Amino acid sequence: MSSIITTDKLNLWYGDTHALKDINIDIQKNSITALIGPSGCGKSTFLKTLNRMNDLIETVKTTGEVRYSGHNIFSKDIDVNELRRDVGMVFQKPSPFPMSIYDNIAYGPRTHGMTNKANLDEMVEQSLRGAAIWNEVKDRLKKNALSLSGGQQQRLCIARALAVKPKVLLMDEPTSALDPISTSQIEELILQLKEKYTIIIVTHNMQQAVRISDNTAFFLLGELIEFGKTEKVFSYPQDKRTEDYITGRFG
């Protein structure tokens, strides 16, 4: 399988805090990679580095490389808007815009210049189908998205990310605010999405990592301690710290 994202000696500081230390990782196309580790160990920071969301924080400094499709995303000729279109983000808390379901999905494509109503209609339907929520909302597209349940809002946010046709989906604990039924719907959806997208998911839920991911990366205090096939990381961890974390000795 070919890589879509590769990092080489990636370091990141928030002011004086060294948050990521020499991260080297290879993310395969059309795979699901779970990032696990205790709170504050660098998982979300790493995730947000992959589409340069951390640029929005003034004190951030990065060194090393993140290559997406072979190009270093920190180089001067990279269009950050294009990068963020290709590498979409779904956050921990569902965050629909306070507008209609339809307008939530059409928002991104409109900002990228799609104005034809028939094209927008088709893209809204495709995206909602892609996020397995079309049948639940097709008769109320003009209703405010905030009227949806938490699980539906999160699938709407996934549909919104799909609408701009990304290649990679970054998910920062997308089920942590949801009930068990909504969680299993989102997990099922993530497994379906793998056919078309590369998914990188931060999760605190170790069972979730085992259920849905192909590869798992264990972060601790800003370091990547272990990375490999999920089954292997959980059954035969190579590092004592990984073993201690997954067996619940800390974290």
Side-chain angles (χ1 to χ4, degrees):
M1 282 174 81
S2 58
S3 305
I4 188 164
I5 291 176
T6 307
T7 70
D8 185 22
K9 293 196 173 72
L10 173 65
N11 283 270
L12 181 142
W13 290 263
Y14 294 116
D16 296 331
T17 306
H18 196 176
L20 293 176
K21 301 167 186 170
D22 279 336
I23 307 293
N24 297 308
I25 199 168
D26 225 1
I27 305 245
Q28 305 292 311
K29 247 183 199 162
N30 297 95
S31 67
I32 299 172
T33 302
L35 311 180
I36 64 166
S39 293
C41 67
K43 308 181 299 290
S44 293
T45 296
F46 174 71
L47 196 72
K48 289 178 186 149
T49 305
L50 303 179
N51 70 350
R52 290 186 47 181
M53 291 284 280
N54 288 321
D55 289 16
L56 307 170
I57 302 165
E58 274 181 18
T59 57
V60 158
K61 182 185 129 198
T62 48
T63 62
E65 286 193 353
V66 174
R67 287 190 294 278
Y68 163 67
S69 290
H71 303 287
N72 182 12
I73 66 168
F74 299 122
S75 72
K76 291 192 167 50
D77 56 356
I78 286 286
D79 178 333
V80 177
N81 288 331
E82 252 175 56
L83 172 70
R84 290 188 189 140
R85 185 170 64 184
D86 268 14
V87 183
M89 185 97 180
V90 176
F91 295 96
Q92 183 169 4
K93 213 168 162 294
S95 53
F97 302 137
M99 50 177 78
S100 73
I101 292 168
Y102 183 99
D103 287 337
N104 260 275
I105 309 300
Y107 184 86
R110 278 180 181 141
T111 58
H112 292 296
M114 188 188 281
T115 50
N116 179 296
K117 176 142 178 14
N119 291 351
L120 279 168
D121 287 353
E122 185 186 348
M123 186 278 316
V124 167
E125 178 174 343
Q126 271 179 354
S127 306
L128 290 166
R129 282 188 187 281
I133 191 176
W134 170 252
N135 289 337
E136 293 164 54
V137 301
K138 62 178 189 231
D139 300 324
R140 46 183 179 145
L141 295 176
K142 297 283 175 262
K143 288 256 165 52
N144 193 312
L146 300 175
S147 65
L148 297 172
S149 72
Q152 288 174 323
Q153 287 187 13
Q154 193 60 300
R155 278 181 288 148
L156 180 78
C157 291
I158 294 171
R160 192 172 67 196
L162 300 182
V164 293
K165 304 222 175 339
K167 311 271 192 313
V168 179
L169 278 179
L170 308 177
M171 298 184 158
D172 196 358
E173 295 197 55
T175 62
S176 68
L178 304 178
D179 62 86
I181 290 171
S182 300
T183 295
S184 82
Q185 287 174 328
I186 299 274
E187 287 183 4
E188 217 170 285
L189 171 60
I190 290 170
L191 287 166
Q192 289 165 12
L193 291 173
K194 183 177 83 161
E195 289 174 25
K196 291 188 183 170
Y197 309 93
T198 302
I199 295 166
I200 305 167
I201 178 171
V202 169
T203 180
H204 264 110
N205 182 332
M206 247 110 42
Q207 285 73 33
Q208 181 170 71
V210 171
R211 283 193 299 264
I212 67 172
S213 70
D214 301 294
N215 300 301
T216 293
F218 171 55
F219 281 79
L220 185 64
L221 301 171
E223 289 180 51
L224 175 61
I225 304 297
E226 192 158 338
F227 176 62
K229 292 259 168 254
T230 296
E231 203 177 313
K232 194 159 177 273
V233 170
F234 279 90
S235 305
Y236 309 104
Q238 301 299 295
D239 191 291
K240 180 82 171 70
R241 291 165 295 180
T242 314
E243 186 181 345
D244 286 350
Y245 181 69
I246 61 182
T247 54
R249 293 202 184 105
F250 71 91

